[in-house]
Amino acid sequence: MVRTVYSPEYCLQYLEQYASKEIFVIGLILGQTTNVRENVIHLARTPEEKTSENGSESNYSMDKVETVKTLLDVSEAWVADHAKHVTRMLPGGMFVQGVFVTSDEDIFEDPNCFSKVRSILNYTYKALGSNSYMFGNSPYSNDRLILHMSTSTKVLTCKSIEINAPNKNTVIKPVDWKFLSKPQQWQRLDCYYEFDEVYPVIVKKSGISVKQQFQQILESAHKTIESSVMFIDGELKDGSESLDQFTKKKKTKNNSKQTQNETPKSMHVSLFVPFENALPETVEYLECDGSIHFSGVVSSSVFMYPKATVSETIAAVKQDIIRSLASRFTMHCDALIDDNLLPEEKVCFNEPPRRVLVPVGSLHLCDYLFPGEAPAEALLSVRELLDLQITEADVICDVETPADTSEFDALDRDASSEELLATPQEASQFMYITGICFAMLVLIVSIIIHYYDSIVQVFSKVVSKS
């Protein structure tokens, strides 16, 4: 059975735009795969490769641009880095599905070109899988798309290959790519997940960095979210039921009519953690060097194909929350000057970037803004990473509010007094001394009770003699 992929018609116009200029372009295919359908949502050109002065690859902040004119000159690491940045911007359930190329060569007939494309896809797959909490690779299939448009004939060809397969066993599968003249309908699901946890900081001999501590927090958060139960509009649904069946039942129940072109209303998602899963398996008493109070609300907006199942939707929402946390932690750690987990200050406040939404067709992707950054900063990321031209007014900035620092300011004022904030060592000494005093008091009371009768008799004899 031939694999079928659906995409909006503007993707064809996007390819023709570059093919008409007869220039080489490589980029990413972004979309969603479910058990019933595969949808492409956007094609994003990979930015021109940027290098440092010594010729080594660097990040996207470098100014020196190296123009790549042929597929054989493309750096696998540069495309993979682009894929990692774009994955941060994708909601849960969306993935990098492959690459597209506009060139004069027939990449499927030229062995060198095809080998290069396969190398790029394999390298990208490994790079996206290096951080499991980013959910960079789709769990549904190891096949990746290769879309090619000839700059000379304007012929469009799409095929797929299996990632990490031996070269001799690589099977090229045909793909039927269909462009939709009408906008694809999506079901939006919104969730606000609140975190309010305190995590101990234990510094071992080898030390611990902010990044290592955040990885431990991610691991704990992932276990909690995976064990949670999801309610859609306040109802617990069967995992095999599709989302459109859910909406049809609600329309029938409310006796309301909905036109075919009307956009379905957003569904509200709530995640509840079972009580037994909220408790740790074992309780350990450890002397800590400090603690991290992890508090805030993660805004999640997931877009699913209406015929996707509830199980697929649950997985997408949970992916979105963890992917968002992993993205913020990575960006926050990259921005830190000092990676030391325990600063000189007794209380230290850190605010990771907050989430904003950016429109892509009929749905939204996301970006992250650090404290003090304006929506214009998101335009730069969208323009460079997604190859989209949007205005500052298009950026939705109110899905998450900036952090309230009033509580921290109060703690910071208290921290100026050495008497009010004890160091971890002082706190442990205080608890240790308190424990000894209490034990001595219990011992004295026990002795009095044990020898109570003897004391009473001696006291009676003394009284009688007197």
Side-chain angles (χ1 to χ4, degrees):
M1 184 176 180
V2 178
R3 181 178 179 182
T4 304
V5 175
Y6 298 87
S7 74
E9 197 168 31
Y10 80 81
C11 288
L12 176 60
Q13 300 168 359
Y14 182 81
L15 291 169
E16 292 175 340
Q17 162 193 332
Y18 288 113
S20 62
K21 298 178 182 178
E22 297 185 353
I23 59 175
F24 166 78
V25 169
I26 187 170
L28 305 176
I29 302 172
L30 314 178
Q32 181 180 92
T33 301
T34 63
N35 289 327
V36 293
R37 181 156 161 160
E38 185 168 4
N39 292 297
V40 168
I41 61 169
H42 185 60
L43 303 179
R45 178 186 183 182
T46 298
E48 295 287 349
E49 188 170 346
K50 301 174 185 178
T51 60
S52 60
E53 294 182 357
N54 58 7
S56 61
E57 294 170 10
S58 184
N59 55 36
Y60 285 87
S61 63
M62 300 300 294
D63 294 329
K64 188 176 180 181
V65 177
E66 180 180 333
T67 302
V68 177
K69 297 183 179 180
T70 64
L71 179 61
L72 299 180
D73 295 331
V74 173
S75 167
E76 290 89 343
W78 185 253
V79 178
D81 197 40
H82 181 213
K84 288 196 291 185
H85 281 78
V86 168
T87 299
R88 295 178 188 171
M89 308 176 77
L90 296 177
M94 302 284 183
F95 305 92
V96 175
Q97 295 179 300
V99 296
F100 74 88
V101 177
T102 63
S103 66
D104 190 31
E105 308 94 348
D106 188 337
I107 62 174
F108 298 108
E109 295 296 332
D110 188 325
N112 294 329
C113 289
F114 181 74
S115 176
K116 185 67 174 182
V117 173
R118 184 175 60 236
S119 177
I120 291 172
L121 289 175
N122 285 332
Y123 195 102
T124 302
Y125 177 83
K126 291 179 180 178
L128 292 177
S130 61
N131 186 349
S132 59
Y133 298 117
M134 284 298 298
F135 299 100
N137 292 310
S138 172
Y140 298 104
S141 173
N142 282 337
D143 287 357
R144 294 295 180 269
L145 299 172
I146 304 173
L147 180 64
H148 178 256
M149 175 171 277
S150 171
T151 56
S152 56
T153 63
K154 307 302 184 291
V155 173
L156 189 68
T157 307
C158 184
K159 296 183 181 181
S160 69
I161 62 171
E162 185 179 356
I163 295 300
N164 289 336
N167 294 344
K168 297 181 180 179
N169 299 332
T170 300
V171 178
I172 306 175
K173 304 175 184 177
V175 175
D176 185 13
W177 191 293
K178 294 186 177 181
F179 295 97
L180 302 175
S181 57
K182 295 181 180 180
Q184 169 66 55
Q185 290 294 327
W186 296 94
Q187 179 60 60
R188 175 171 174 169
L189 299 101
D190 292 325
C191 176
Y192 293 91
Y193 191 84
E194 183 175 1
F195 287 92
D196 190 12
E197 302 289 341
V198 176
Y199 297 92
V201 176
I202 304 172
V203 180
K204 301 178 181 179
K205 291 182 179 180
S206 59
I208 185 171
S209 65
V210 175
K211 188 174 183 179
Q212 290 172 324
Q213 185 66 31
F214 280 167
Q215 282 296 112
Q216 295 178 9
I217 293 177
L218 269 176
E219 182 180 353
S220 175
H222 180 249
K223 290 180 180 178
T224 301
I225 292 174
E226 282 298 318
S227 67
S228 63
V229 179
M230 190 174 96
F231 288 75
I232 302 178
D233 284 343
E235 298 182 17
L236 182 63
K237 307 304 297 180
D238 183 81
S240 60
E241 188 174 5
S242 64
L243 292 179
D244 62 342
Q245 291 177 338
F246 190 23
T247 54
K248 287 177 183 178
K249 288 181 180 179
K250 294 187 76 67
K251 284 191 295 183
T252 304
K253 183 177 180 180
N254 297 331
N255 295 322
S256 62
K257 295 182 179 180
Q258 185 179 28
T259 61
Q260 187 175 1
N261 297 328
E262 184 180 348
T263 303
K265 294 182 179 179
S266 170
M267 294 180 176
H268 179 70
V269 175
S270 302
L271 294 179
F272 296 93
V273 181
F275 180 73
E276 61 271 14
N277 293 336
L279 298 176
E281 296 179 358
T282 59
V283 178
E284 297 182 1
Y285 296 93
L286 301 171
E287 182 178 347
C288 303
D289 298 277
S291 65
I292 292 181
H293 184 193
F294 187 61
S295 179
V297 177
V298 173
S299 171
S300 171
S301 293
V302 170
F303 295 83
M304 298 296 296
Y305 179 60
K307 292 189 179 297
T309 63
V310 172
S311 295
E312 292 171 331
T313 304
I314 291 174
V317 172
K318 293 180 177 180
Q319 284 173 8
D320 187 71
I321 297 173
I322 296 299
R323 178 186 283 175
S324 180
L325 287 178
S327 300
R328 298 173 209 237
F329 287 169
T330 301
M331 296 175 68
H332 181 65
C333 292
D334 291 343
L336 289 177
I337 299 176
D338 184 8
D339 197 35
N340 182 23
L341 187 60
L342 295 178
E344 294 181 359
E345 298 85 357
K346 296 182 185 301
V347 179
C348 183
F349 176 79
N350 285 276
E351 184 181 353
R354 62 189 177 96
R355 198 175 206 176
V356 296
L357 300 181
V358 293
V360 176
S362 57
L363 45 76
H364 290 93
L365 305 191
C366 70
D367 196 14
Y368 297 94
L369 297 180
F370 282 94
E373 288 186 337
E377 299 292 334
L379 302 185
L380 299 176
S381 300
V382 171
R383 187 175 302 129
E384 186 170 31
L385 298 174
L386 298 179
D387 198 18
L388 274 176
Q389 300 294 329
I390 62 174
T391 64
E392 191 171 338
D394 295 327
V395 182
I396 303 175
C397 299
D398 59 353
V399 292
E400 291 182 353
T401 58
D404 182 9
T405 61
S406 58
E407 183 179 355
F408 166 72
D409 293 337
L411 289 173
D412 195 31
R413 287 193 298 270
D414 293 341
S416 61
S417 172
E418 293 291 335
E419 296 179 357
L420 295 180
L421 268 177
T423 63
Q425 290 78 10
E426 291 169 347
S428 62
Q429 291 169 0
F430 173 75
M431 293 298 293
Y432 182 68
I433 294 171
T434 303
I436 291 178
C437 294
F438 181 74
M440 291 179 65
L441 179 62
V442 172
L443 178 61
I444 293 172
V445 173
S446 300
I447 292 173
I448 293 174
I449 294 175
H450 182 74
Y451 295 102
Y452 176 78
D453 294 335
S454 301
I455 293 174
V456 170
Q457 292 176 4
V458 171
F459 182 75
S460 301
K461 291 180 181 180
V462 172
V463 173
S464 61
K465 289 181 180 181
S466 62

